[in-house]
Amino acid sequence: MMGDYTVVCDKSFKLLQSENRKVRKENLDKLLTVVHDENFEESPEFMQAVKTFVYPCLNDGSEACRESAVQLVRTLVCDGCVEEIAPIVFVIHKRMGNISMLESSEEVKLLYIQLLRDIIKNYEQLIFPCLDDIVSILTKSILDSCPAVKKDSCLCAAELASATKTRFHMVAELLVEPLLKATNYHQSAVRYTAIQSLNYVIMYSNGKQVPEVCSSISNRLFDQNVGVRLALCRVVSNWMLNLPDRYSYFPKLIPFILTAQVDDHLPNREEAERLWDEIGNQYINENEVQLKEKLDFLPDHLNHYPPNVKRPNLGCRTLVTREVLKLLPVIIRELDDWKEDISIKSGQLLCVVALNAENSVIQHLNQLLTAMTKCCRQPDHVASNHVRRAAEIMSYFISPSTYLKFLLSDIEPHVGHLIILSGLLKNVKSIELSTHVKSIITFLEKPEICEVYDPLFKKYLLQVIEYVLVACESECQEFSYELFKIYIIVQSTTLDQFDDNFIFKKLINMCEPKTKEQLFKTHGERLLNELNDSCDSWVVHSPGREVLDKIALDAEYVILSCYEIYRQILTKTLYNLDKDPKFLMKMLININTCVDKDIFNDKQLWQILSGIIFPILTWRPGKTAESLRAASCLCAQIINKKFTCFDETMLNLSFPIFLALADDNHCKTRAYALDTLHCLICAAKSLNKLNADTINNVTRVALARLNDNPGNTRFKAINLIKATYTQPLPNDYMVHYEAHVAQLYKTLVIFLDDQDIQQSILDLLKDLSWMKPEVLIKHINVNVFSHKHFAQNLMDYLSDNLSQISLTNTE
C-alpha cells in the first residue's frame, strides 16, 4: 500500500507545479485523501516534498487551491508530522500580516487562523522564533471585518499567551489595542471572546496595560448581553486573584467587581458576590500579619446592621476602605452624568461601597451628600431610588452628629435634601439621635421648610418626623406643640389621611386623655395666636389659611374655645376688600363651615354678621365685587338661619341692607337676599315688630323680582310675598293701605299668563285673597288671558269664598 501511495504522491507533487489551477486543486485534494487514510504513514521524503511543493500552494493565486493547501497542512500539523513551522507562518504572514493584506477570502483567512491555532497547540516549543510574525498576523486579523475571523483570532491570541508564558510579555502590548476594539464589536459572541482573550493576554503581560484596559472595557459593565457582563466580572476577578503585582491595580479593578454586584441579572450578582468574597478572603490570608489586630478584636457580625444582608468579610471591607478616597469622587461625578444608565450604575455602586466601606465614607461626606441630594432632586430619576437606598445603608454606620451638621445648615427647600435626610434617619440608633431632636425639629419648623407646597416634599418631611418619633419618642414629648404645628401645616391640604397617620396617632398618645379633641385643645390656642400674628400677610394659598380651614372643618371646638382670637383673624383678613378675591372667598367659606357646625351663640353670630359680613355687602362696582357680594350674601343667609331669636336692633339694621341686595345685578345675590328677607319677615312677625313701611318695601323688591329671567329668584319672591302677607298683619294696615293691597293684586294677576310661574301665582293669589277678595275679583277678566283656565280657576275660587262670606253675614 505504501508503495502505491508513493507513486500517487510523487505524481501529485509534480502536478502541483502545473499552470492549470484545476490540476493543482485536484492533486491537492488527492494528497489530502491520502493523508486522511488510516494506513498512510508519512516519511521524511514525503514531508520534504510537502515543504517543497505544498507550502508554496498556501500562497497560490487560486482561492480554491489555497483552501485545499491549508486543509492539507492543518491535517499534517495536527498529526504532528511537521518539524518546521517557520515556513508555514511565513506564508500566512505574507498573506495576512503585512500592511496591505493580500488575502481577500474570508473562508481562507479563517482557515489560516485555525492553522495557526493548530500550530500553537501542537508545537509550543517551535513557536518562539515565529512569535513576532504570529502577533503581527493577529493584530490584523482581530480587526478583520469577518466575525468568525475576529472570534478565532481572539481565541488564537489567548492560546498564544498561554503557550508562550515566559516570553509573551514582550509582545502582549501589541495585542491589547486590537482586542479592546473587538470588545466593542456589535456581535455579543465576539465581545465575549475578546474579553476572555484579554484575560490571558493581560495575565501574561507585564501588567502595564491594566489601567488602559480598565478604562476601555468599563462600558461593558452596561453591556446588554448577560454573558458578556458575567465574562467581564470573572476576568476582573481572576486578575485580582492571580495577576502579578495585582495590588497596585486594585484601584482600577475594584470598581468593576463592586459594580458587578448590582448587575440586573441575579445569577450575575450572586457570582460577583461569591468572587468578591473569595478576593477578600485571599487578601486576609496574604496580609494576616497586618490584619491580625482587626481579626482578633473586631466582631464579624454587628447587632445594628441592615437586615437580610451578609456583611462583607474583613478583607473586602479593608480593600474598599483603602480605595474609598478614589472611589467616591468618581461616584460623585457620575451621579450627575447626563447618561441615565451611568448615573443609575453609580447610584447602585454607591450602595455597595457604603456597605463595604461602612463608616469610612465620612472622609468625603460633605461632597457625597451634596451629590446625593442633587441626584434626588428629581425623584422620578431611577438613580434616586438607589441613592436613597445608599443613604439608608449609611445610616447604620454614620452618626447623626456627622451628617446633620451638613444637612441642617446648608439645606435648601427642595425634596432631594429631605429624601436623603429621611434615609439617613431611617435606621438611626436612638441613643445617637436623642441629643439632636431639638435641632431637627427647630429646623423643620422653619416656614421655608414646613410651608413648602410640593406634595412630595411634604411626604418626606413627614417621613423625617416619623423616623425621629420612632427613635426618640420620649425626647419628642417636649416638642409636641412644634410637631403638631408642623404636622397640621403639612397635612392641612391632605384631609383624607389626616387622622390615620402614624405621626398624628403618636401626638395623640402624648396627650392625657389620649384623644384627638384633647390634642387640639392642648395646642389650639397657641396655634390660633400664631395664625393671628401672621394673618395680615395671608394670600389664597398661605399655609396659615389652610390650617385655619383644617381647624374649622375638623376641630371646631378650638374655635369655640378661642372665639375672640378667631374673630380677630377674620377682622384682619376681611377688612381690606382690595385683596385677592379668591382669598376673600376662601375666608367666607371658612366662616360658613364654622357656622354650619353650630358652635356660635346668637351674640357671636351677630358680631360676625354685623362686624365682618355687612361691610363686604356694601355695593362696589365691578364683576369681581359682584361675585364677592354674592358669596357674602350667602354667608349672611346661613348666619341668619342659625339665629335662635332676633331683636329689634338686629331687624332694623338688617332689613335695609338686604332690601338693597334684592336689587343687585347678580342673580345669586338677589336670590340669597330674598331668602334672608324671608327669614327676617318671619322673625319680625314672631316679635310683632313688622310695620307697614317694611311690608311695602319688601313687596316692592319682591314684585320687581317677578320680572327676572326664569329661575329660582321668581319663586323665592313669591314665597317672600306669601310670608309677608300671611296673617297676622299690623292692625291698621288694611285700613291705611287698601290701595297698596289693590295694586299688589293687580300686579300679581298679570303673571297668571306667565307659563313659568302661573301655577305659583295662582296659589299665591288664593292665599292672599283673604285680605280683600272683592277687590281681587274686580281685577280678573277671564277673556283677556291666554291661559283662561288659570283665571277661571281663580274666579271660581273667589266666587265660592264670597258666597260663603255672604251666607255667613246673612245668618
Side-chain angles (χ1 to χ4, degrees):
M1 287 294 294
M2 193 60 200
D4 295 339
Y5 281 138
T6 301
V7 174
V8 172
C9 290
D10 288 344
K11 183 179 179 180
S12 294
F13 283 135
K14 291 178 182 178
L15 290 174
L16 290 179
Q17 294 178 305
S18 171
E19 293 184 0
N20 189 324
R21 61 185 179 184
K22 288 185 178 180
V23 173
R24 298 197 301 274
K25 165 69 173 169
E26 288 174 1
N27 283 279
L28 284 168
D29 290 340
K30 286 180 182 179
L31 289 170
L32 185 60
T33 303
V34 168
V35 298
H36 277 164
D37 193 293
E38 60 182 12
N39 296 318
F40 173 75
E41 294 180 7
E42 74 282 353
S43 63
E45 294 78 14
F46 178 84
M47 293 308 300
Q48 182 60 40
V50 167
K51 182 178 179 181
T52 304
F53 299 107
V54 176
Y55 286 2
C57 291
L58 293 173
N59 191 32
D60 197 279
S62 167
E63 177 183 333
C65 292
R66 294 196 303 276
E67 184 174 346
S68 295
V70 174
Q71 289 173 343
L72 175 58
V73 174
R74 282 193 68 192
T75 303
L76 294 171
V77 166
C78 292
D79 289 343
C81 303
V82 177
E83 295 182 356
E84 192 177 356
I85 64 168
I88 303 174
V89 174
F90 174 79
V91 175
I92 299 175
H93 183 269
K94 185 177 181 180
R95 299 294 303 180
M96 295 184 63
N98 291 320
I99 295 175
S100 56
M101 186 180 290
L102 295 178
E103 187 55 61
S104 58
S105 168
E106 291 183 351
E107 291 78 5
V108 176
K109 283 190 285 187
L110 181 59
L111 286 172
Y112 282 148
I113 299 302
Q114 290 172 346
L115 174 56
L116 278 180
R117 292 184 64 188
D118 292 336
I119 291 172
I120 293 169
K121 289 176 185 177
N122 292 278
Y123 299 95
E124 287 186 10
Q125 300 304 318
L126 299 180
I127 60 178
F128 287 108
C130 307
L131 188 58
D132 289 339
D133 284 347
I134 295 175
V135 169
S136 178
I137 295 166
L138 293 177
T139 54
K140 305 293 188 304
S141 61
I142 289 173
L143 298 177
D144 195 82
S145 58
C146 175
V149 174
K150 293 175 79 74
K151 184 177 177 181
D152 268 53
S153 298
C154 291
L155 293 172
C156 185
E159 291 162 357
L160 179 66
S162 299
T164 60
K165 299 174 185 178
T166 56
R167 295 178 60 186
F168 183 75
H169 64 277
M170 296 186 294
V171 295
E173 187 175 355
L174 298 172
L175 290 171
V176 169
E177 185 177 350
L179 285 171
L180 289 177
K181 291 180 179 179
T183 61
N184 294 316
Y185 194 67
H186 62 86
Q187 285 192 8
S188 60
V190 174
R191 298 198 301 274
Y192 177 88
T193 306
I195 290 172
Q196 293 280 35
S197 299
L198 269 174
N199 177 38
Y200 294 95
V201 170
I202 295 299
M203 277 299 300
Y204 303 117
S205 70
N206 55 22
K208 293 180 180 179
Q209 294 77 36
V210 172
E212 177 192 352
V213 169
C214 289
S215 299
S216 298
I217 63 174
S218 59
N219 286 338
R220 298 284 64 81
L221 289 169
F222 311 105
D223 201 285
Q224 295 180 345
N225 187 275
V226 173
V228 172
R229 299 199 302 272
L230 181 59
L232 180 59
C233 171
R234 287 173 173 165
V235 166
V236 169
S237 301
N238 183 53
W239 291 345
M240 295 182 74
L241 289 168
N242 301 307
L243 196 66
D245 198 23
R246 53 188 169 277
Y247 289 157
S248 60
Y249 307 125
F250 272 23
K252 293 289 184 181
L253 298 175
I254 286 177
F256 283 86
I257 190 65
L258 294 181
T259 305
Q261 293 177 58
V262 291
D263 194 277
D264 296 334
H265 192 54
L266 178 60
N268 282 21
R269 293 199 300 272
E270 292 174 342
E271 178 71 357
E273 290 168 2
R274 183 190 67 78
L275 291 169
W276 177 233
D277 188 65
E278 185 179 340
I279 292 165
N281 284 324
Q282 178 176 293
Y283 182 81
I284 294 173
N285 295 332
E286 293 176 347
N287 298 272
E288 192 171 355
V289 175
Q290 295 90 325
L291 298 175
K292 186 177 187 308
E293 191 171 323
K294 292 182 178 180
L295 287 168
D296 291 342
F297 297 104
L298 289 182
D300 290 334
H301 305 285
L302 300 177
N303 294 329
H304 188 62
Y305 199 78
N308 305 317
V309 176
K310 181 184 177 183
R311 189 184 188 197
N313 62 54
L314 178 61
C316 296
R317 302 198 305 273
T318 304
L319 284 172
V320 173
T321 300
R322 282 177 50 189
E323 306 301 336
V324 73
L325 290 178
K326 299 173 184 175
L327 288 169
L328 288 181
V330 177
I331 293 174
I332 289 169
R333 183 177 66 251
E334 293 188 346
L335 276 177
D336 195 36
D337 197 278
W338 65 275
K339 291 182 179 179
E340 185 173 305
D341 54 349
I342 292 179
S343 61
I344 290 171
K345 282 294 180 186
S346 297
Q348 293 173 326
L349 179 58
L350 180 58
C351 293
V352 181
V353 170
L355 196 65
N356 283 269
E358 296 187 352
N359 62 356
S360 300
V361 296
I362 61 174
Q363 297 174 76
H364 267 293
L365 191 60
N366 195 2
Q367 298 92 323
L368 181 59
L369 290 177
T370 301
M372 291 169 71
T373 55
K374 186 177 181 181
C375 181
C376 291
R377 195 164 192 163
Q378 298 176 327
D380 55 337
H381 195 324
V382 181
S384 66
N385 297 328
H386 303 297
V387 172
R388 160 69 187 220
R389 171 62 182 155
E392 293 177 4
I393 293 171
M394 290 161 60
S395 68
Y396 285 97
F397 311 115
I398 306 177
S399 167
S401 304
T402 306
Y403 57 77
L404 286 178
K405 61 185 178 183
F406 297 123
L407 289 177
L408 297 189
S409 60
D410 299 330
I411 195 168
E412 300 173 15
H414 72 71
V415 71
H417 280 90
L418 286 183
I419 290 176
I420 298 305
L421 179 58
S422 65
L424 289 168
L425 292 174
K426 183 175 182 180
N427 304 298
V428 69
K429 290 181 180 179
S430 300
I431 191 171
E432 293 181 348
L433 185 64
S434 57
T435 57
H436 302 283
V437 169
K438 181 179 180 180
S439 59
I440 293 174
I441 294 176
T442 302
F443 170 76
L444 296 179
E445 192 186 8
K446 293 179 180 178
E448 61 268 28
I449 302 299
C450 68
E451 294 182 3
V452 172
Y453 190 74
D454 179 16
L456 202 60
F457 189 94
K458 291 181 176 183
K459 171 188 172 182
Y460 285 103
L461 174 58
L462 292 180
Q463 202 171 85
V464 170
I465 295 175
E466 180 179 333
Y467 294 152
V468 173
L469 276 169
V470 168
C472 304
E473 184 175 352
S474 58
E475 288 81 1
C476 290
Q477 183 85 38
E478 181 184 347
F479 306 100
S480 60
Y481 170 73
E482 288 77 10
L483 291 174
F484 170 79
K485 175 187 171 183
I486 296 170
Y487 180 77
I488 197 170
I489 289 174
V490 172
Q491 289 287 71
S492 57
T493 54
T494 316
L495 306 179
D496 53 336
Q497 297 178 350
F498 191 91
D499 292 357
D500 291 335
N501 192 281
F502 171 84
I503 299 172
F504 192 65
K505 293 176 181 177
K506 284 290 183 184
L507 290 172
I508 290 175
N509 285 335
M510 293 179 184
C511 299
E512 195 59 48
K514 302 181 188 309
T515 62
K516 173 184 174 181
E517 184 172 347
Q518 183 59 42
L519 174 64
F520 274 93
K521 284 182 176 179
T522 302
H523 303 303
E525 183 175 357
R526 183 176 173 184
L527 182 60
L528 277 180
N529 274 318
E530 289 193 15
L531 295 179
N532 189 22
D533 292 339
S534 64
C535 64
D536 287 335
S537 59
W538 284 358
V539 293
V540 65
H541 291 303
S542 291
R545 188 202 62 73
E546 293 173 341
V547 169
L548 190 67
D549 279 352
K550 175 58 187 172
I551 294 173
L553 188 68
D554 215 37
E556 67 279 0
Y557 32 79
V558 174
I559 292 175
L560 176 61
S561 60
C562 306
Y563 164 73
E564 282 302 324
I565 304 174
Y566 177 69
R567 188 165 69 87
Q568 289 174 27
I569 294 173
L570 295 181
T571 303
K572 289 179 182 179
T573 52
L574 291 171
Y575 83 96
N576 183 4
L577 300 184
D578 293 327
K579 283 188 175 183
D580 180 7
K582 292 181 180 179
F583 168 72
L584 298 174
M585 292 282 192
K586 290 286 187 180
M587 293 305 300
L588 291 172
I589 292 171
N590 186 281
I591 295 174
N592 290 346
T593 303
C594 292
V595 171
D596 282 338
K597 298 279 189 176
D598 293 325
I599 63 174
F600 300 126
N601 58 37
D602 284 355
K603 179 182 177 181
Q604 293 168 339
L605 286 171
W606 178 248
Q607 285 177 332
I608 294 172
L609 180 62
S610 60
I612 296 169
I613 304 301
F614 279 178
I616 307 177
L617 293 174
T618 305
W619 187 88
R620 295 166 68 239
K623 293 292 184 182
T624 301
E626 274 186 12
S627 299
L628 189 58
R629 277 198 304 279
S632 305
C633 198
L634 171 61
C635 187
Q637 175 204 343
I638 294 172
I639 292 174
N640 273 287
K641 287 182 179 179
K642 295 294 182 179
F643 283 120
T644 56
C645 63
F646 288 81
D647 59 33
E648 189 172 358
T649 302
M650 294 165 65
L651 294 173
N652 290 340
L653 288 173
S654 298
F655 267 119
I657 293 173
F658 292 101
L659 285 169
L661 290 170
D663 284 327
D664 196 88
N665 289 336
H666 201 295
C667 62
K668 287 187 177 180
T669 303
R670 298 196 297 271
Y672 300 144
L674 291 174
D675 281 340
T676 306
L677 287 171
H678 188 285
C679 180
L680 294 173
I681 285 290
C682 294
K685 283 195 172 188
S686 66
L687 294 173
N688 198 23
K689 298 294 182 180
L690 185 62
N691 56 51
D693 286 342
T694 301
I695 293 173
N696 294 340
N697 286 331
V698 170
T699 304
R700 174 183 56 79
V701 297
L703 290 176
R705 299 284 63 79
L706 294 177
N707 291 310
D708 279 6
N709 292 327
N712 288 335
T713 310
R714 309 174 84 192
F715 295 101
K716 291 179 183 295
I718 291 170
N719 290 334
L720 177 58
I721 293 170
K722 178 180 178 180
T724 303
Y725 288 97
T726 300
Q727 297 188 52
L729 289 175
N731 294 332
D732 58 347
Y733 185 81
M734 297 305 298
V735 176
H736 297 294
Y737 293 97
E738 182 176 344
H740 182 86
V741 173
Q743 184 61 40
L744 172 64
Y745 285 155
K746 183 178 179 181
T747 303
L748 291 175
V749 165
I750 295 171
F751 289 94
L752 277 175
D753 245 1
D754 191 319
Q755 294 184 17
D756 293 316
I757 59 173
Q758 56 193 177
Q759 183 61 54
S760 298
I761 291 292
L762 175 61
D763 295 338
L764 176 63
L765 286 171
K766 288 179 180 179
D767 291 334
L768 301 187
S769 64
W770 67 272
M771 294 184 290
K772 292 290 182 178
E774 67 280 4
V775 174
L776 176 56
I777 202 168
K778 290 178 182 179
H779 291 289
I780 303 172
N781 182 355
V782 176
N783 294 326
V784 302
F785 290 95
S786 299
H787 302 87
K788 294 180 173 56
H789 60 285
F790 282 97
Q792 188 60 54
N793 186 315
L794 182 57
M795 284 291 293
D796 294 343
Y797 175 83
L798 293 172
S799 298
D800 291 343
N801 283 352
L802 289 172
S803 298
Q804 291 178 6
I805 293 171
S806 299
L807 288 172
T808 303
N809 292 339
T810 303
E811 293 174 358

